[in-house]
Amino acid sequence: MNVLIFSLLLPAIAFTIHLIVWKAHLPTHQKSILICIFSVTLAAGLIILFIFRQYINLLGIRAPQGLYEYLQICIFFVSISLAYMVTYSALEADSPSLVMIMTIANSGSEGLSQKNFEEKINNDTLIIPRLKDAVSEKLAYFNEDKYSLTPKGRVIARIFLIYRKIIKRERKGG
């Protein structure tokens, strides 16, 4: 039980720090800062738990004592952190599908004509924000009126292309 309590406590602390930082100032490189917050929280939390393990007692639950318990906390924390970061990526930027669905939903019960839909949903709404994100994350750069991938962007593109080839998914959208 003690492992579970401390395994839940550390991600809760990291999430709280994340909320405080985002309330104070929204970082430019959100994913990098998020990884930093969660990594530092894990490292600091484990160090504090280890150093003060004889003195920590939360409502009768003692701090972890053995290496095996700390390893379990690490595995749980990393799993929760990675799951949260994947979820956060989906929340950080609106996907094109989400933008389209929200545009239709905001039209209310009367619906949205195709003409109005096409006026509201265009490259400025769907494509340009993603290109700006790619440039800010240093996955691509803009030079002489064209976008090009950085080495980091090429690696990520290759990973997705290999994965799509493995699952036999054809390229969609041109």
Side-chain angles (χ1 to χ4, degrees), residues 50-127:
F50 184 76
I51 291 173
F52 298 105
R53 68 186 178 273
Q54 286 88 3
Y55 311 107
I56 296 175
N57 191 357
L58 293 176
L59 303 171
I61 300 171
R62 64 174 176 75
Q65 300 297 314
L67 181 63
Y68 184 68
E69 290 177 320
Y70 285 96
L71 182 60
Q72 287 177 322
I73 290 172
C74 284
I75 291 169
F76 187 90
F77 183 91
V78 169
S79 299
I80 293 292
S81 299
L82 291 174
Y84 178 69
M85 287 179 206
V86 167
T87 304
Y88 182 78
S89 294
L91 298 173
E92 180 184 24
D94 293 335
S95 72
S97 299
L98 182 60
V99 170
M100 290 185 283
I101 289 169
M102 293 305 293
T103 301
I104 295 168
N106 289 336
S107 69
S109 60
E110 65 274 358
L112 184 66
S113 72
Q114 183 173 352
K115 181 182 178 208
N116 286 343
F117 179 81
E118 290 170 359
E119 288 172 0
K120 292 181 178 190
I121 301 297
N122 54 42
N123 283 346
D124 290 339
T125 331
L126 298 178
I127 306 301

Side-chain angles (χ1 to χ4, degrees), residues 149-164:
L149 290 177
T150 63
K152 178 180 170 184
R154 278 196 226 60
V155 167
I156 290 173
R158 281 190 192 115
I159 290 169
F160 281 102
L161 290 171
I162 289 168
Y163 176 70
R164 288 181 70 87

Side-chain angles (χ1 to χ4, degrees), residues 135-150:
V135 170
S136 79
E137 292 292 329
K138 299 194 181 352
L139 299 173
Y141 61 94
F142 185 73
N143 189 18
E144 297 179 13
D145 293 335
K146 62 181 173 180
Y147 288 95
S148 298
L149 290 177
T150 63

